[in-house]
Amino acid sequence: MVTQLQSPDKSNIIYPDDNGEPMSDNTEQFRLIVWIKENSELLFANDPNVFVAGDLLWYPVEGNNKLCQAPDVMVVFGRPKGYRGSYQQWNEDNIPPQVVFEIWSPGNRPAAMIQKFKFYERYGVEEYYLYDPQTLELTGWQRVEEELEAIEQIDGWISPRLGVRFGLSETGLEMFGPSGEPFVSFVELAQLRQQAEARAQEAEERATEAHTLLEQERSRSQALESRLREMGIDPNQL
């Protein structure tokens, strides 16, 4: 007699929200992750169907809670914004992240990075970008049919999905939005806002001062007109 093994109930499988790995190994890696994630989110702030996340576990196959990766940054077009403990693809209309970023750190091992590449290639990533802040090198791959092929000229490359232009300078990675605006940090953004508010306040103060001077001049003109009339002189005849 043959005993048939029953498949485990997929609904009872737990998909952990944490893989035990740190988000970053150092302050520079963390800064870059936050910089790319927040600027990408700002770029699509008005589109409710673009989901951006940092260090979120992505499970591509239902029933397999061992098969997962946590891209430093991932962007998913066609899925709504909102809270997720993990990205379970079968609950997301089976849409994989189209764009992923990884920031190389001293803790990364080549074997693990190769495994990540194969994972992204197999499960549908369209654009994959890997940046090394120590060597200031950016490598990118774009999906061509079933494979991720290297982007030959990455400096000046414009992401087909994001519309973001990549640049490399002596200080490191640069990224620019579709209108040419550079990606900035929270501190830089706050400073730009403060400068804009200061300019607006200064313009308002100048307008108020000009209005006050105009009122003063009008009052003097009216006083002079009244004085002339008291003297029996018609100002309109002058």
Side-chain angles (χ1 to χ4, degrees), residues 77-228:
F77 292 84
R79 297 307 302 154
K81 303 182 190 302
Y83 171 83
R84 290 163 175 81
S86 62
Y87 190 83
Q88 299 173 19
Q89 189 172 315
W90 56 94
N91 291 326
E92 306 283 356
D93 287 345
N94 206 35
I95 297 176
Q98 293 95 344
V99 183
V100 298
F101 292 86
E102 293 286 353
I103 308 299
W104 187 279
S105 74
N108 290 134
R109 295 292 178 265
M113 298 308 290
I114 292 173
Q115 182 180 4
K116 282 189 176 185
F117 177 90
K118 291 181 177 179
F119 181 97
Y120 297 149
E121 185 175 57
R122 179 175 181 180
Y123 292 107
V125 169
E126 296 177 11
E127 300 175 40
Y128 172 33
Y129 301 99
L130 174 63
Y131 179 65
D132 186 340
Q134 289 189 312
T135 62
L136 307 183
E137 292 181 354
L138 174 67
T139 308
W141 295 267
Q142 183 182 26
R143 179 167 295 277
V144 178
E145 296 181 352
E146 299 302 317
E147 297 182 348
L148 287 173
E149 294 190 359
I151 299 168
E152 293 185 5
Q153 182 57 44
I154 195 69
D155 190 4
W157 167 262
I158 297 177
S159 160
R161 275 290 189 172
L162 304 178
V164 168
R165 177 170 58 85
F166 296 90
L168 293 170
S169 69
E170 294 180 356
T171 57
L173 177 63
E174 298 176 337
M175 296 174 67
F176 303 87
S179 300
E181 69 281 7
F183 277 25
V184 295
S185 67
F186 273 147
V187 173
E188 291 169 328
L189 186 60
Q191 290 173 339
L192 290 172
R193 185 176 62 185
Q194 290 170 356
Q195 291 170 4
E197 290 175 350
R199 287 194 296 268
Q201 183 176 356
E202 184 180 348
E204 183 178 353
E205 290 173 352
R206 286 199 301 267
T208 300
E209 182 181 353
H211 180 72
T212 300
L213 292 173
L214 181 61
E215 288 298 317
Q216 290 174 350
E217 186 62 30
R218 184 179 292 113
S219 296
R220 284 195 293 267
S221 177
Q222 290 174 346
L224 177 60
E225 183 178 337
S226 297
R227 179 59 177 160
L228 289 172

Side-chain angles (χ1 to χ4, degrees), residues 28 65 78 175:
E28 179 62 7
N65 61 2
M175 296 174 67

Side-chain angles (χ1 to χ4, degrees), residues 57-72:
L57 280 173
W58 164 25
Y59 294 94
V61 179
E62 185 177 12
N64 189 341
N65 61 2
K66 303 298 182 183
L67 185 65
C68 62
Q69 286 291 343
D72 286 336

Side-chain angles (χ1 to χ4, degrees), residues 36-84:
I36 294 173
K37 186 265 182 186
E38 294 299 328
N39 278 275
S40 297
E41 196 152 24
L42 182 61
L43 198 62
F44 298 101
N46 296 324
D47 191 333
N49 289 312
V50 178
F51 173 66
V52 182
D55 194 43
L56 185 71
L57 280 173
W58 164 25
Y59 294 94
V61 179
E62 185 177 12
N64 189 341
N65 61 2
K66 303 298 182 183
L67 185 65
C68 62
Q69 286 291 343
D72 286 336
V73 180
M74 67 181 187
V75 184
V76 190
F77 292 84
R79 297 307 302 154
K81 303 182 190 302
Y83 171 83
R84 290 163 175 81

